[in-house]
């Protein structure tokens, strides 16, 4: 049964959400100078491919280390949403109604990783987030954010703030963002997105994988 790596690599200067901490991956010790190698890593908890814990947006929400590790292994259904316009709304009608633990939104926006266009991804309308809560889905996406990300291209009628986050995280659903390499996966697969066990963490980077027959 094959595995597919769905994670963006962590490196200095990589894309982050506007005003999030920049990422630095720099030598601390080297073979030439010290006889061993250690790298200093500085980043935010929502760096790269990562999971949002409820405490990310909910004052009383659970932290990432409060979940059992089994919660980060999900029976997932992939929804192909490629070919949509920048900043397009993902609506309830676009989403499945099947028995699954997570819905994986394939927008194709990972193709814009490292470009200004990466900010102008499709986003989950609040009603669509409520649909996911109703069906018990955690949500994963191959884009920066399940909500609209601020940019010069934002429209006046877009949802403000983090409405989809509040709908999902407020219902103890998890969110995985910045997936990649979804092309070629079957519609159903096992999604593994196991985070670093950061004490009291509002989120954490993950090594996301798909496991399928």
């Amino acid at each position: 049964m094959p595995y597919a790596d769905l994670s963006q690599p962590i490196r200095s200067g990589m894309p982050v959400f506007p005003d999030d901490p920049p990422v630095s991956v720099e030598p601390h010790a080297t073979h030439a100078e010290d006889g061993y190698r250690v790298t200093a890593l500085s980043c935010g908890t929502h760096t790269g491919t990562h999971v949002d814990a409820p405490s990310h947006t909910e004052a009383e929400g659970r932290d990432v280390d409060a979940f059992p590790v089994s919660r980060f292994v999900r029976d997932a259904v992939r929804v192909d949403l490629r070919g949509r316009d920048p900043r397009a709304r993902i609506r309830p009608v676009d989403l499945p109604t099947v028995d699954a633990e997570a819905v994986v939104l394939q927008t194709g926006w990972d193709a814009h990783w490292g470009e200004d266009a990466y900010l102008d991804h499709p986003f989950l309308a609040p009603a669509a987030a409520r649909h996911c809560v109703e069906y018990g889905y955690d949500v994963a996406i191959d884009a920066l954010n399940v909500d609209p990300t601020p940019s010069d291209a934002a429209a006046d009628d877009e949802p403000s703030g983090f409405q989809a986050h509040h709908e999902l995280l407020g219902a103890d659903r998890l969110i995985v963002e910045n997936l990649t390499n979804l092309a070629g996966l079957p519609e159903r697969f096992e999604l593994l997105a196991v985070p670093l066990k950061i004490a009291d963490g509002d989120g954490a980077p993950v090594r996301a994988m798909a496991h399928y027959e």
Side-chain angles (χ1 to χ4, degrees), residues 4 10-12 19 21 27 31 51 57 66 68 89-90 92-93 112 129 157 169 176 180 185 197 209:
I10 295 177
R11 54 170 55 98
S12 294
D19 297 326
H31 292 292
V51 63
T57 59
R89 284 172 170 79
I90 301 168
V93 69
H112 299 294
D157 63 346
L169 299 180
V176 178
T180 189
L185 291 181
K197 193 173 182 179
M209 294 176 285

Side-chain angles (χ1 to χ4, degrees), residues 8-16 23 47-49 113:
Q8 296 284 5
I10 295 177
R11 54 170 55 98
S12 294
M14 67 188 289
V16 297
V23 179
T47 290
T49 308
W113 180 256

Side-chain angles (χ1 to χ4, degrees), residues 114-203:
E115 303 172 4
D116 291 343
Y118 195 61
L119 300 179
D120 295 319
H121 53 82
F123 60 86
L124 201 62
R130 289 192 291 273
H131 172 99
C132 293
V133 170
E134 178 183 351
Y135 282 90
Y137 300 149
D138 293 329
V139 175
I141 191 169
D142 60 349
L144 183 60
N145 191 0
V146 293
D147 281 294
T149 297
S151 88
D152 292 340
D156 292 339
D157 63 346
E158 290 180 1
S160 60
F162 301 99
Q163 294 186 41
H165 276 81
H166 285 303
E167 294 285 352
L168 294 165
L169 299 180
D172 215 37
R173 300 290 93 198
L174 297 174
I175 301 170
V176 178
E177 293 166 325
N178 290 325
L179 290 177
T180 189
N181 299 330
L182 296 176
L185 291 181
E187 181 179 345
R188 297 299 294 259
F189 59 91
E190 187 176 58
L191 174 66
L192 299 89
V194 182
L196 298 174
K197 193 173 182 179
I198 298 174
D200 305 323
D202 48 79

Side-chain angles (χ1 to χ4, degrees), residues 51-55 61-72 138 169 171-174 195 197 201:
V51 63
D52 291 350
S55 62
R62 286 202 284 173
D63 294 319
V64 71
D65 58 325
F67 288 88
V69 70
S70 59
R71 181 59 187 277
F72 304 105
D138 293 329
L169 299 180
D172 215 37
R173 300 290 93 198
L174 297 174
K197 193 173 182 179

